[in-house]
Amino acid sequence: MGVYEPGTEAEAGEIVRAAAGRGEGLRLAGGGTAAGLGRPAQDSATLSAQALTGVTLYEPAEMVVAARAGTPLAEVEALLASRGQMLPFEPMDLRGLYGTAGEPTLGAVAAINNAGPRRINAGAARDSLIGVRFVNGRGEAIKSGGRVMKNVTGLDLVKLMAGAHGTLGLLTEVTFKVLPTCERVATLVFSGLDDTRAVTALSEALGSPFELTGAAHLPSGIGAPEARTLMRLEGFSDSIDYRTGELRRLLKRYGQPEIIDGEAGAALWRRTVRDAAPLAEPREAALWRISTAPTRGPALAAAVAAERDARWFFDWGGGLIWLATGAAGDAGAATVRRAVRAQGGHATLVRAPDAVRAAVPVFEPLAEPLMRLTAGIKAAHDPAGVLNPGRMYAGL
């Protein structure tokens, strides 16, 4: 299988047009760090954005950054950090889950709508994405959005590209709004709460005026022998001292929390929660990412565990469940889908062996009207089915 690495947007267009003429499917790739995400693509060659690199715009005063899609995420984050700024949505590093090498790229962050624990406060990647350039399945270069939120030209198309997993076009440049970094980060850690009680505590904290930027629950055995319920506060030090005291009073019936500052707290959120490190091994195990109403998360996880050997933890106040099941057979797909239907929500099979990902729906199955709409959007952008064929749904 060949690999194409265009150095310009025009070259990428030529490659796509030639592939369409040959009836050749192209697997779109950035740094190759999320190679196991989605259905196994039915492709003949790889179209990589790795040679499309470089920051094209950075205006700290306007809090906006743009870069070509293959630019390493670490390079962009380092540039922002040098000016006391950051990407708001805390994108996760998928290399631990897939055992991949390479460098995560900014374009891939947009393509999969990558967001971590701060999503509850700052939104997902698509909420900060304000401009894109991409090459569609006809080989045409398309520009949508702009440098500022006021410029809403093509904004819906910008949002459409975020999370499309490369099925609508090869992103060649992306523009994000950014935020200032915080003076201090502190984490309240409550110990020994069961899932239901922990989610209740998180819901109370999130419903308070004290502005959590992270809310997670790690059951016993997930990174430590005892269950831990985590609440993150960010901002000026005096503000954090005040909010910490108020949260302690508000949540006193759940016990007295430990307060973690500095790198220890940052590492806990980065590795354990954001990157789901406790569920990274064994890599043969199927890993699900389930979104549901926070108060229904514990019951959903318990329903899966009643039928399958499973391990899990909660992020987003209980609204996001990372759940690992055995890799045998259908990876527990029927069990997970049944539990999701009962409680409401949707589930994505983030990781499983290729044979399993080819046999079961990886993304939440769509109702017929939504599938027709999805197929129409795909056909409008990629009529020959060149880009990541079959990646999200069979036949698309």
Side-chain angles (χ1 to χ4, degrees), residues 173-366:
E173 182 181 87
V174 291
T175 304
F176 285 102
K177 63 178 181 178
V178 301
L179 289 179
T181 53
C182 299
E183 177 184 286
R184 180 183 165 199
V185 181
T187 301
L188 286 71
V189 183
F190 292 83
S191 298
L193 304 181
D194 63 30
D195 289 358
T196 300
R197 192 163 166 78
V199 169
T200 301
L202 292 173
S203 296
E204 288 187 33
L206 287 167
S208 76
F210 305 121
E211 199 174 1
L212 271 61
T213 65
H217 175 63
L218 310 173
S220 60
I222 301 298
E226 192 173 24
R228 295 169 291 169
T229 305
L230 314 178
M231 302 177 189
R232 184 174 62 186
L233 300 172
E234 297 179 312
F236 293 109
S237 187
D238 288 347
S239 171
I240 288 180
D241 287 339
Y242 170 74
R243 287 183 284 154
T244 297
E246 292 299 307
L247 281 170
R248 278 178 150 171
R249 281 188 283 274
L250 177 68
L251 305 172
K252 61 183 178 182
R253 64 185 173 281
Y254 300 102
Q256 284 302 308
E258 177 188 2
I259 309 298
I260 302 177
D261 274 286
E263 179 55 29
L268 179 61
W269 285 99
R270 181 175 60 246
R271 178 168 170 75
T272 304
V273 182
R274 187 195 73 178
D275 297 343
L279 303 182
E281 299 288 349
R283 291 204 179 94
E284 295 76 23
L287 182 63
W288 293 85
R289 190 174 185 268
I290 305 169
S291 294
T292 188
T295 54
R296 297 187 177 187
L300 196 158
V304 175
E307 297 185 26
R308 292 275 177 166
D309 180 23
R311 300 168 64 233
W312 64 86
F313 71 87
F314 301 90
D315 197 1
W316 302 353
L320 174 65
I321 309 170
W322 286 98
L323 186 145
T325 64
D330 64 357
T335 301
V336 171
R337 300 288 182 206
R338 187 162 53 248
V340 169
R341 284 196 300 272
Q343 297 297 331
H346 63 269
T348 300
L349 181 56
V350 171
R351 183 191 65 195
D354 284 357
V356 173
R357 292 188 294 122
V360 305
V362 170
F363 295 92
E364 188 69 23
L366 296 178

